[in-house]
Amino acid sequence: MAKRFSAEKYVAGILAGDRVMLSRAITLVESKLHSDQELAQEVISQVLPHAGNSVRIGITGVPGVGKSTFIEAFGIYLIQQQKKKLAVLAIDPTSQRSGGSILGDKTRMDTLATNPQAFIRPSPAGKSLGGVTRSTRESIILCEAAGFDTIFVETVGVGQSETAVHAMVDFFLLLMLAGAGDELQGIKRGIMEMADAIAITKADGTNADKAKMARAEYQNALHLYPKAASGWLPQVSTCSALQQTGLDTIWQTMTDYLQLTHSNGFFEQKRHSQNLQWMYEAIRQGLEEHFYQHQQVKEQLPGIAAQVKEGQKSAFAAASELLGLV
Amino acid sequence: MAKRFSAEKYVAGILAGDRVMLSRAITLVESKLHSDQELAQEVISQVLPHAGNSVRIGITGVPGVGKSTFIEAFGIYLIQQQKKKLAVLAIDPTSQRSGGSILGDKTRMDTLATNPQAFIRPSPAGKSLGGVTRSTRESIILCEAAGFDTIFVETVGVGQSETAVHAMVDFFLLLMLAGAGDELQGIKRGIMEMADAIAITKADGTNADKAKMARAEYQNALHLYPKAASGWLPQVSTCSALQQTGLDTIWQTMTDYLQLTHSNGFFEQKRHSQNLQWMYEAIRQGLEEHFYQHQQVKEQLPGIAAQVKEGQKSAFAAASELLGLV
């Protein structure tokens, strides 16, 4: 990486809202170098008391749903109408899978990218899901400390990453296209049940009626779901990034959600349990990393796994055998 | 436990279909004693080549849905009409939660319990979910080796155990009551999306029309879900254990599913990936058990966890700190 400063310099820069220092601190968090990681942890520990004062919003949808266009329009709305400071982070461990809709393709968010009240950070390339979720979560803390009060965490609605995002945000927004047919099949099962709100995008022109029908259909379907622990009933609305319509309704839904969950204690409780969840997750990752990098495990795992897969060796016998090597 | 035999004696008994030996081998699998566990692993390794030839069916539903009554009626139907040999296992780590609907209350399955073609085994009391799922999975292997060609794994649709069951069965059946209101709220979010079929129970008498309507409603909702990896579209039907109706439809659905997934390779592929999943899961459990039993970790975890929860310490800093103790 370019240049390293002392932890104090990073911290001072971040707390002063210096975007360049924020950006460099995130690069530190994303680095695989041990020395960078140590420095990153020091920075995070120091800014931690200044973090947490934001609304963390997960946004997902399959490629083609118009995610970038939505984020740009909704972001500008939040900055201009609601006077927010917005950071947009992306989770996308395998960028070839994203079909070009991810933030790496920055040109899609021209207006937002050049707005002084917005900070956009694409996902680091070539990282595992574990690596990306870890650095994204730490980037949230850094952005909050730098004064951003609204954080978008974007992900592509086709893989495991939604669960990771769901575990780090306060509110989960699913973008959908009208027409419950083929478009849906790209969405992974289980994602719909995570949504606190669904927004039917591209509700304009000849598509407007279809979007309205889809809205009613999804709202009905969501009524069939078991009630969420938050006490919140997920809302469905339509919007058009093109015509800038429906954005206020989505923001109102979020505001309603926040009001409900702040008043019933769910918001704080969820943040607390997310914090703990990440600690246990980090412990698990640390233990597994250490185990699977052990020389003998590396050598014997493939052969043993093949036997387990074919049912020639029981899963538990194989596990004991491998655990015995370390 | 009562009496221990040599591994060979257990194996010979199980392969001969001796129910007493099968029962004792399961007790061995459930035992926490190290010596029992070693013997159990030997037995499992030896019967493993004779296992796998069954259909593994997960059955879940909230208390009050009539799960025991359904299992009894459907079990008798399979034995009498389809000439099956049926083993019924239960996953229920915290039996006080079950509201009495779990197999421990054997009297509810009188007819099945005394049928020579059925084998019923309640969940071991006082075990953690990890312990129960492990012993259930190994019990499936033992039952298959003993000649049972149909395995039910029962669970109460309110907790984490459904995910564990879903990961060990070929087909997942969700029992539901008519009326999409309050009854649903006991079902955990995400369970509906796991179902390969939903059966609306108690579709008899004055309830029959309501059940029919619920059937149409759920079938509609399921169409909105993304398509499953199996290529299967989950089916909804109604049934009455009381009037013995709809059981043949449910079995036909299962047969259709098996035919599809055998022909497109999904069945075998799923079994293979389940085997591997259990190995990695067992490794994870082994690593975490070792870690969390470490004296210094035990002493320092509560204080550190409290700081993480309140946002005073970052999750990753805490994890490094704790990992450094071992």
Side-chain angles (χ1 to χ4, degrees):
Chain A
M1 56 178 300
K3 201 173 171 180
R4 293 168 90 237
F5 304 102
S6 68
E8 286 66 31
K9 202 164 154 61
Y10 283 109
V11 171
I14 290 167
L15 295 183
D18 179 338
R19 304 156 64 95
V20 175
M21 288 307 270
L22 170 62
S23 216
R24 284 186 176 163
I26 294 180
T27 304
L28 213 56
V29 156
E30 289 170 355
S31 167
K32 282 174 183 167
L33 286 179
H34 188 68
S35 56
D36 286 345
Q37 271 306 316
E38 280 193 343
L39 187 54
Q41 286 312 317
E42 216 180 310
V43 173
I44 287 173
S45 292
Q46 289 189 33
V47 302
L48 202 57
H50 306 277
N53 297 318
S54 81
V55 181
R56 303 165 181 171
I57 298 166
I59 301 182
T60 195
V62 293
V65 78
K67 197 147 27 74
S68 299
T69 319
F70 172 80
I71 288 176
E72 172 136 294
F74 192 47
I76 294 293
Y77 164 82
L78 290 180
I79 288 167
Q80 290 180 350
Q81 307 294 316
Q82 306 296 337
K83 308 299 169 207
K84 298 292 177 189
K85 283 193 74 178
L86 173 70
V88 184
L89 307 169
I91 290 209
D92 183 32
T94 51
S95 48
Q96 69 275 17
R97 194 171 56 180
S98 72
S101 76
I102 206 71
L103 293 170
D105 188 4
K106 272 199 196 178
T107 50
R108 292 205 173 189
M109 293 194 207
D110 272 348
T111 322
L112 205 55
T114 56
N115 190 300
Q117 300 301 309
F119 176 82
I120 298 190
R121 180 80 179 197
S123 200
K127 275 220 165 188
S128 68
L129 176 58
V132 176
T133 53
R134 175 189 167 150
S135 60
T136 304
R137 185 163 157 86
E138 300 193 328
S139 300
I140 291 176
I141 291 168
L142 296 174
C143 291
E144 289 173 346
F148 291 96
D149 55 20
T150 310
I151 317 276
F152 287 176
V153 183
E154 180 194 359
T155 181
V156 177
V158 292
Q160 282 298 316
S161 50
E162 283 68 34
T163 312
V165 173
H166 186 250
M168 66 174 83
V169 298
D170 305 314
F171 188 94
F172 198 74
L173 174 66
L174 174 63
L175 303 181
M176 295 276 240
L177 285 167
D182 293 344
E183 299 91 338
L184 262 180
Q185 306 197 358
I187 291 257
K188 220 181 147 258
R189 290 167 79 81
I191 292 180
M192 251 178 76
E193 292 209 23
M194 288 185 204
D196 296 305
I198 293 178
I200 317 279
T201 57
K202 304 185 182 177
D204 41 46
T206 54
N207 217 23
D209 282 348
K210 248 174 42 180
K212 241 176 164 172
M213 273 169 56
R215 184 192 165 281
E217 214 166 22
Y218 282 114
Q219 190 71 64
N220 258 336
L222 289 178
H223 274 287
L224 289 174
Y225 283 127
K227 206 168 181 181
S230 55
W232 172 255
L233 181 69
Q235 295 299 306
V236 189
S237 60
T238 60
C239 66
S240 162
L242 198 71
Q243 302 183 345
Q244 314 258 325
T245 52
L247 303 173
D248 47 352
T249 308
I250 294 170
W251 179 243
Q252 186 58 49
T253 298
M254 290 176 182
T255 309
D256 290 346
Y257 176 86
L258 292 170
Q259 196 172 11
L260 173 76
T261 56
H262 274 301
S263 72
N264 68 13
F266 182 80
F267 185 90
E268 200 189 1
Q269 186 194 321
K270 188 177 176 186
R271 283 255 176 123
H272 282 178
S273 80
Q274 285 177 338
N275 286 342
L276 280 179
Q277 188 181 341
W278 282 98
M279 181 187 76
Y280 289 116
E281 179 67 17
I283 289 173
R284 189 185 63 69
Q285 278 181 24
L287 291 172
E288 291 191 338
E289 230 165 71
H290 178 257
F291 176 78
Y292 288 107
Q293 277 169 8
H294 190 277
Q295 195 51 39
Q296 278 197 284
V297 172
K298 269 186 178 168
E299 283 166 12
Q300 301 207 23
L301 181 63
I304 292 177
Q307 286 179 295
V308 170
K309 188 178 161 191
E310 302 290 340
Q312 290 154 3
K313 194 187 275 277
S314 90
F316 295 98
S320 315
E321 202 176 324
L322 287 164
L323 288 167
L325 296 173
V326 177
Chain B
M1 59 177 297
K3 201 172 169 181
R4 294 168 90 237
F5 304 104
S6 69
E8 287 65 32
K9 202 164 156 61
Y10 283 110
V11 171
I14 290 167
L15 295 182
D18 179 339
R19 306 157 63 94
V20 176
M21 287 308 269
L22 171 61
S23 216
R24 285 186 173 163
I26 293 180
T27 304
L28 214 54
V29 156
E30 290 169 356
S31 167
K32 283 174 181 165
L33 286 179
H34 188 69
S35 57
D36 286 344
Q37 272 304 317
E38 281 194 340
L39 188 54
Q41 286 311 317
E42 217 181 310
V43 172
I44 287 172
S45 293
Q46 289 190 35
V47 303
L48 202 57
H50 307 277
N53 297 316
S54 81
V55 181
R56 303 166 182 171
I57 298 165
I59 302 182
T60 196
V62 293
V65 77
K67 196 147 28 73
S68 299
T69 319
F70 172 81
I71 288 177
E72 172 137 294
F74 192 48
I76 294 291
Y77 164 83
L78 290 180
I79 289 168
Q80 290 181 348
Q81 308 294 316
Q82 306 295 338
K83 307 299 169 208
K84 298 292 178 191
K85 283 194 74 180
L86 173 70
V88 184
L89 307 169
I91 289 207
D92 183 31
T94 51
S95 48
Q96 69 276 16
R97 194 171 56 182
S98 72
S101 76
I102 206 71
L103 292 170
D105 187 3
K106 271 198 193 178
T107 50
R108 293 202 172 193
M109 294 194 207
D110 272 347
T111 322
L112 205 55
T114 55
N115 190 301
Q117 300 301 307
F119 176 82
I120 299 189
R121 180 80 179 198
S123 202
K127 276 221 164 188
S128 67
L129 177 58
V132 175
T133 54
R134 174 187 169 151
S135 61
T136 304
R137 187 164 154 84
E138 300 193 328
S139 300
I140 291 176
I141 291 169
L142 297 173
C143 290
E144 289 174 345
F148 291 96
D149 55 20
T150 310
I151 317 277
F152 286 175
V153 183
E154 180 194 359
T155 182
V156 177
V158 290
Q160 281 300 316
S161 50
E162 283 66 36
T163 313
V165 173
H166 187 252
M168 67 173 81
V169 298
D170 306 312
F171 188 95
F172 198 73
L173 174 66
L174 174 61
L175 303 181
M176 295 275 239
L177 285 169
D182 293 342
E183 298 91 341
L184 264 179
Q185 306 197 359
I187 291 255
K188 220 184 146 255
R189 291 167 78 82
I191 292 181
M192 249 179 78
E193 292 209 23
M194 288 184 203
D196 296 303
I198 293 177
I200 317 279
T201 57
K202 304 185 182 178
D204 42 45
T206 54
N207 216 22
D209 282 348
K210 246 173 48 180
K212 241 177 164 171
M213 274 170 53
R215 183 191 165 281
E217 215 166 21
Y218 281 114
Q219 191 71 62
N220 259 336
L222 289 178
H223 275 287
L224 289 175
Y225 282 127
K227 206 167 180 183
S230 56
W232 172 254
L233 180 68
Q235 296 298 307
V236 189
S237 59
T238 60
C239 67
S240 162
L242 197 71
Q243 300 183 345
Q244 314 258 325
T245 51
L247 303 173
D248 47 351
T249 308
I250 294 171
W251 178 243
Q252 186 59 49
T253 298
M254 290 178 181
T255 309
D256 291 347
Y257 176 87
L258 292 170
Q259 198 173 10
L260 172 76
T261 56
H262 275 300
S263 72
N264 67 14
F266 182 82
F267 185 91
E268 200 189 2
Q269 186 194 321
K270 187 177 176 186
R271 283 257 175 121
H272 282 178
S273 79
Q274 285 177 338
N275 286 341
L276 280 180
Q277 188 182 340
W278 281 99
M279 182 187 75
Y280 290 115
E281 178 69 15
I283 289 172
R284 189 185 61 68
Q285 278 181 25
L287 291 172
E288 291 192 337
E289 230 165 73
H290 178 259
F291 176 78
Y292 288 107
Q293 277 170 7
H294 191 277
Q295 195 52 39
Q296 278 197 282
V297 173
K298 269 185 177 170
E299 282 166 13
Q300 302 206 23
L301 181 63
I304 293 176
Q307 286 178 293
V308 170
K309 191 179 159 191
E310 301 291 340
Q312 290 154 4
K313 194 187 275 277
S314 92
F316 294 99
S320 315
E321 202 176 324
L322 287 164
L323 287 166
L325 296 175
V326 178

